[in-house]
Amino acid sequence: MRLARWLAWPALAAAIIQWGAFVALMAVLSFMPRVAPEPTAPGEVLILLAGVGLVVSVPALVGWAAVRAANGRPGGRAVLWTFGPLGVALSGTMAYLAWYLMTDIGQTENPELMLIVLILASSMLYILPLIISAVLWMLTPARAYLAWHRPDDREALGRGLLTAAVALLAVALLAALITAVLMTFAPRELAETGDADRLASALTYATIVAGVVSVMDILLLGGTVLTRLTGRWILRTLVYGTGMVLVLALMPAITVIGLGVGAVGDESGDDVALTYAWTGITLFSLGAILHLIAMLLVAMPSVSSLVATDGSPDDAEPRPY
């Protein structure tokens, strides 16, 4: 556990440095005449910085979860595993944007260059230790370490969290199904210069993606229900593993659906079609967020207390699940 602790603190420090440098870079660019030729209202900049700062704080949250896990908090591991991919993706995105600014836009001044270097360096110091830390918590000694720090009398809470996860997955499934229907029946009237083939293919791909996600959500929903009823650790492992694979696939899925929305905007001048498309991608994105929260609930320590006894409260010996 020493290695996990040594890795967690540098990852947290790097995430905080990257967060501050990125927000500062956004603030500098917002007030620079050569980047934003039109005067920017301070209120708008503050709202933008608040929104950006909230989103890019996820890597720091994941880093703090890694520290909590190293200190014997099983909930920290749940947050680390569930939000870790999102934290790594956001850290990499910030580094990419900084690199793009430095190489493609050019003309960076000294303050900007210093912030860009901080963003790039802190991203490297964050991603690698965090990935190693997450892998370490998959090892049997690490799981046993957290099992002994886990309360063993929270089976009822574990069942309650699984019930909440079932409800969230049901809503996410409904959102994906509605998205598939909207993309299927969206009006396909073309503008004067519209491309019928591009519009049809983009909406077809969006429909297929939403349909595949719907099928996966049905399987996850059934697996979560069975986990709640039986308390079997193998079912919980399958549900969480499959669910996290789907989490990784949701971002490309949102991108494909976004391309469908873009095709509707470019090739069709119909307001009804745009309403269908934007409603679909909004619902699908909300469903993705609910799916992520459901996976966090499945990974919580109280659920581990439930499956550690295989649903039998008479077996009180902690197991590394």
Side-chain angles (χ1 to χ4, degrees):
M1 296 307 100
R2 291 179 182 176
L3 180 58
R5 188 174 293 110
W6 291 342
L7 291 172
W9 280 108
L12 175 60
I16 294 174
I17 292 172
Q18 188 180 34
W19 175 83
F22 189 79
V23 173
L25 181 62
M26 292 298 100
V28 170
L29 295 180
S30 298
F31 290 105
M32 292 188 62
R34 62 182 180 79
V35 177
E38 296 296 331
T40 306
E44 296 177 359
V45 174
L46 291 177
I47 294 174
L48 173 64
L49 293 179
V52 171
L54 181 63
V55 172
V56 300
S57 66
V58 173
L61 170 65
V62 177
W64 175 242
V67 172
R68 297 280 289 176
N71 290 329
R73 302 289 184 175
R77 182 185 62 177
V79 176
L80 171 63
W81 281 357
T82 305
F83 286 91
L86 180 59
V88 169
L90 284 174
S91 179
T93 300
M94 286 187 281
Y96 170 77
L97 292 175
W99 179 261
Y100 171 79
L101 181 68
M102 184 171 63
T103 58
D104 288 1
I105 295 180
Q107 299 180 356
T108 52
E109 304 294 340
N110 286 335
E112 301 169 56
L113 185 59
M114 182 182 67
L115 292 173
I116 290 171
V117 171
L118 277 177
I119 293 171
L120 294 174
S122 57
S123 180
M124 290 185 291
L125 294 175
Y126 172 78
I127 292 177
L128 185 58
L130 191 76
I131 293 176
I132 297 175
S133 179
V135 172
L136 287 176
W137 291 115
M138 296 181 184
L139 302 179
T140 300
R143 291 187 287 116
Y145 168 77
L146 290 181
W148 284 108
H149 287 81
R150 184 180 65 220
D152 297 321
D153 56 350
R154 296 187 178 180
E155 289 85 358
L157 177 59
R159 286 191 174 89
L161 291 181
L162 287 176
T163 301
V166 167
L168 293 176
L169 287 173
V171 177
L173 169 61
L174 181 62
L177 288 173
I178 293 175
T179 300
V181 171
L182 289 173
M183 293 299 174
T184 301
F185 295 101
R188 306 192 179 191
E189 296 182 5
L190 295 175
E192 293 182 0
T193 59
D195 187 341
D197 292 336
R198 182 196 171 198
L199 179 62
S201 62
L203 290 177
T204 300
Y205 289 143
T207 302
I208 293 173
V209 166
V212 170
V213 171
S214 300
V215 173
M216 294 299 298
D217 278 338
I218 291 173
L219 296 176
L220 287 174
L221 182 61
T224 308
V225 171
L226 289 176
T227 302
R228 188 201 179 282
L229 294 176
T230 64
R232 298 299 178 184
W233 69 268
I234 186 64
L235 289 175
R236 188 266 196 118
T237 302
L238 290 174
V239 166
Y240 185 72
T242 306
M244 289 308 299
V245 171
L246 184 56
V247 165
L248 297 176
L250 282 175
M251 185 57 67
I254 292 174
T255 302
V256 172
I257 296 175
L259 292 176
V261 176
V264 171
D266 294 339
E267 312 299 341
S268 174
D270 188 46
D271 292 337
V272 176
L274 279 173
T275 301
Y276 275 51
W278 278 108
T279 302
I281 194 171
T282 301
L283 289 175
F284 192 85
S285 300
L286 290 175
I289 296 174
L290 295 179
H291 176 91
L292 185 63
I293 297 174
M295 291 302 100
L296 176 63
L297 296 181
V298 171
M300 290 304 288
S302 55
V303 179
S304 297
S305 297
L306 173 65
V307 301
T309 61
D310 278 341
S312 174
D314 296 330
D315 185 0
E317 181 183 356
R319 303 177 189 173
Y321 303 139

